[in-house]
């Protein structure tokens, strides 16, 4: 069945009437490309059938067709004429009435005679319209809209589709992208097709055909190890080798052809080949026999959550991947579980020495590794051990690279791996170990190079954020954008006469935000709070006004460590943090975040800052301050839309000059 409107619904599963308008508007915008589902071919094969007086079938109307009619009209109670008008083949009033009566005899509808119109029908259980899961497929757009999906459906969809939007209650929108099919955790297309049918409730032939075409593309090339030890690029056919690989690659990447379907790969160019062919639409299967390093037994001394074990299992199947989950979801613990699976010497790459220290402490606390087995390699200390934590910058420097090249690593972990595509950090990806694992809360980049993350490290592995919120593993913070008036006329006049980025800087440092921060802190007197800023001048001004420390990139490492330790031990309940605090610093007990400036930077930065309060304890608050009537309003709203699509609720408040609030949403 190829109709987009009702393909894949389980019988008796219904979309709320409120969502129907959205579905109809989407259909209209799509040029009415779908076929109408209300045909006799949809009739329940097991239902009793008879013939009415005018010769038309008296088989029961499909129950979902009645629900579709309810959605189109916006009413749960309909006459036969109203139902008939929603059907493309324009059956007679009597024929529809007979088929509705057949549904009534089956117990699916109730029939009521009223004075204004002789007979109306309505579902036997009106709650069916709102309380049950319903899946609607749009194969031409490769979109799947799911209303109230259960955990099983969401888990199945996550194996071949990307969650594009989700609000937790009214529905979720999934998009099936080429990379989702390329990275599906299945050994065969038949296995993937079974997963799709389980998630959708039935077969969508058009969508499956497209998915199979992408599956075939993902299995055209592979990297293998020749018996003499060098790497070979192998194509499935001479045509694809000649028309794709040999057109895209040059002498930098390959020495010479070995056969019509094989090329001899230059040492060190494997990552570049994978990236180039991925961008051409042909991901490469990496089946090289890479060194696994010395064996290292690692026991995990903490219990894993079910979804963390699922991540590890998927990593074990592929040998590579990126754990994607919100802050607080336990990606580091899951990575240690991957180490326990690999049982090989491990290199962990991190963006800062603070995060290197945290990794070393966490490994010592939650694994069987002894302190002498864990080393750190950065500006502060340089020790290479069976498990070594190094910064990306050090690992990418020529004078240090040989230290890491000479050791055979069984596993390389890329923490905060959204950095990997950057020109400085990607130098570290020459370390092509047998197993590669990335960790990221938000693997998105404003330069649209996020696909390189998955070619250089591995495919995404994760659980949608809303599922973690629903299950209580991660607390969903309350997000609120507060539009603040100018603090003084001088800044407002300067903004009016400025241009470009200077206008944004002036709005970001609006001194009116100081009073608003005081108000918010006074409203939450018992909270441990973080205030984020993007500008050193603003951070210093706030630190003076509030008499609290300002932690920035200029803060000496020993002082930064002391402040963070005091915060963790509840000896300090307020810190002002610059962009240095966005990543790589674990602040697990923060329950209030105020973003005074900085959401104009990137979607990833918005995720990191909001995520500082995402912990299982719950009750967290995130306030984003934007100067009213400036470009900062648009920046804040745009960046937080990314979090809204992940299932988080975002409110808006406009603050008047006298401090009064007016609710925007």
């Amino acid at each position: 069945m190829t109709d987009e409107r009702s393909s894949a619904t389980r019988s008796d599963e219904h979309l709320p009437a409120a969502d129907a308008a959205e579905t109809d508007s989407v259909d209209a915008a799509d040029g009415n490309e779908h076929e109408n589902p209300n045909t006799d071919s949809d009739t329940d094969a097991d239902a009793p059938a008879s013939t009415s007086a005018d010769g038309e079938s008296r088989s029961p109307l499909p129950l979902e067709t009645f629900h579709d009619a309810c959605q189109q009209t916006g009413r749960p109670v309909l006459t036969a004429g109203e139902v008939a008008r929603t059907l493309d083949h324009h059956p007679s009033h009597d024929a529809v009435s007979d088929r509705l009566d057949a549904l009534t005899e089956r117990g699916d509808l109730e029939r009521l005679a009223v004075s204004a119109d002789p007979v109306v029908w309505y579902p036997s259980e009106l709650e069916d319209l709102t309380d049950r899961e319903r899946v609607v497929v749009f194969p031409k757009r490769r979109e799947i809209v799911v209303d109230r999906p259960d955990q099983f459906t969401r888990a199945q969809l996550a194996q071949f589709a990307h969650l594009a939007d989700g609000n937790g209650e009214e529905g979720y929108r999934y998009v099936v992208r080429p990379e989702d099919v390329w990275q599906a955790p299945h050994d065969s297309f038949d296995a993937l097709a079974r997963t799709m049918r389980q998630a959708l409730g039935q077969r969508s032939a058009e969508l499956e055909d497209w998915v199979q075409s992408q599956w075939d593309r993902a299995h055209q090339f592979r990297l293998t190890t020749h018996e003499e030890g060098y790497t070979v690029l192998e194509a499935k056919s001479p045509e694809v080798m000649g028309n794709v690989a040999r057109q895209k690659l040059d002498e930098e990447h390959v020495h010479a052809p070995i056969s019509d379907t094989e090329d001899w790969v230059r040492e060190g160019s494997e990552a570049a080949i994978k990236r180039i062919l991925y961008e051409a639409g042909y991901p490469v299967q990496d089946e090289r026999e890479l060194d696994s390093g010395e064996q290292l037994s690692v026991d995990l001394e903490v219990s894993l959550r079910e979804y963390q074990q699922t991540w590890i299992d998927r990593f074990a199947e592929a040998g590579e991947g990126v754990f994607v989950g919100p802050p607080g979801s336990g990606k580091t613990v899951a990575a240690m579980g991957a180490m326990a699976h690999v049982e090989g010497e491990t290199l962990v790459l991190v963006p800062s020495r603070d995060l290197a220290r945290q990794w070393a402490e966490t490994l010592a606390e939650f694994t069987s590794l002894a302190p002498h087995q864990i080393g750190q390699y950065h500006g502060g200390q340089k020790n290479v051990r069976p498990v070594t934590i190094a910064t990306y910058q050090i690992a990418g420097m020529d004078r240090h690279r040989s230290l890491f090249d000479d050791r055979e690593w069984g596993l390389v972990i890329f923490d905060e791996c959204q950095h990997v595509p950057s020109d400085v950090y990607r130098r570290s990806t020459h370390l092509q170990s047998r197993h590669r694992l990335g960790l990221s809360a938000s693997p998105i980049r404003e330069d649209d190079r996020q696909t390189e993350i998955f070619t250089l490290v591995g495919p995404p592995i994760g659980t949608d954020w809303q599922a973690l919120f629903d299950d209580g593993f991660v607390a969903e913070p309350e997000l609120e954008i507060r539009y603040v008036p100018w603090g003084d006329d001088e800044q407002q006049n300067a903004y009016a006469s400025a241009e470009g980025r200077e206008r944004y800087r002036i709005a970001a440092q609006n001194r009116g935000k100081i009073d608003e921060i005081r108000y918010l802190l006074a409203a939450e007197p018992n909270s441990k709070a973080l205030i984020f800023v993007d500008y050193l001048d603003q951070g210093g001004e706030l630190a003076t006004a509030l008499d609290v420390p300002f932690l920035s990139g200029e803060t000496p490492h020993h002082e930064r460590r002391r402040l963070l330790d005091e915060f963790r031990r509840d000896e300090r309940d307020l810190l002002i943090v610059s962009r240095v605090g966005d990543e790589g610093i674990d602040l697990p007990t923060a329950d209030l975040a105020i973003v005074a400036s900085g959401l104009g930077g990137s979607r990833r930065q918005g995720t990191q800052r909001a995520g500082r309060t995402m912990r299982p304890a719950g009750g967290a608050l995130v306030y984003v301050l934007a100067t009213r009537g400036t470009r900062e309003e648009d920046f804040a709203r745009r960046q937080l839309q990314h979090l809204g699509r992940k299932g988080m609720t975002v409110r808006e408040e406009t603050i008047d000059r006298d401090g009064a609030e007016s609710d925007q949403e």
Side-chain angles (χ1 to χ4, degrees), residues 228-416:
E228 296 183 10
Y230 57 83
T231 300
V232 174
L233 175 65
E234 181 181 316
K236 199 168 185 178
S237 68
E239 290 75 22
V240 74
M241 175 62 86
N243 295 332
V244 179
R246 289 173 182 163
Q247 296 295 323
K248 298 290 184 181
L249 305 176
D250 54 33
E251 59 190 19
E252 278 185 54
H253 309 109
V254 293
H255 288 288
I258 300 173
S259 70
D260 288 345
T261 59
E262 297 172 305
D263 278 358
W264 178 9
V265 173
R266 287 189 180 275
E267 185 176 359
S269 67
E270 293 87 354
I273 289 173
K274 289 163 68 175
R275 185 181 69 254
I276 291 168
L277 293 181
Y278 189 101
E279 291 170 350
Y282 292 88
V284 178
Q285 304 294 310
D286 194 343
E287 299 175 7
R288 289 175 289 163
E289 297 175 5
L290 295 169
D291 294 329
S292 57
E294 295 293 327
Q295 187 170 0
L296 179 66
S297 177
V298 180
D299 293 326
L300 196 58
E301 297 178 350
V302 63
S303 297
L304 292 170
R305 299 166 181 168
E306 183 178 354
Y307 67 84
Q308 290 172 321
Q309 186 61 58
T310 299
W311 292 356
I312 295 167
D313 292 344
R314 289 189 52 186
F315 164 78
E317 291 175 6
E320 59 183 17
V322 176
F323 290 166
V324 180
S329 58
K331 296 183 293 295
T332 302
V333 171
M336 291 188 294
M339 290 173 60
H341 166 77
V342 171
E343 292 190 327
E345 295 193 344
T346 300
L347 174 64
V348 182
L349 297 175
V350 298
S352 70
R353 69 168 72 175
D354 289 313
L355 190 53
R357 176 179 58 82
Q358 287 175 214
W359 259 95
E361 293 173 351
T362 304
L363 284 166
E365 181 179 0
F366 295 119
T367 73
S368 60
L369 293 169
H372 71 272
Q373 295 176 294
I374 304 169
Q376 298 180 53
Y377 199 100
H378 47 67
Q381 53 181 290
K382 293 180 173 63
N383 300 306
V384 178
R385 303 277 171 76
V387 175
T388 301
I389 307 110
T391 58
Y392 284 102
Q393 294 91 332
I394 289 286
M397 292 180 180
D398 291 337
R399 65 179 181 271
H400 299 290
R401 185 178 300 176
S402 62
L403 290 172
F404 302 111
D405 282 342
D406 292 344
R407 198 165 192 130
E408 295 179 354
W409 303 104
L411 170 64
V412 177
I413 298 175
F414 301 84
D415 200 0
E416 304 289 357

Side-chain angles (χ1 to χ4, degrees), residues 631-642:
R631 291 178 61 197
E632 197 179 29
E633 273 196 15
D634 297 330
F635 277 127
R637 188 177 290 113
R638 187 181 68 217
Q639 303 306 63
L640 290 183
Q641 282 176 349
H642 171 64

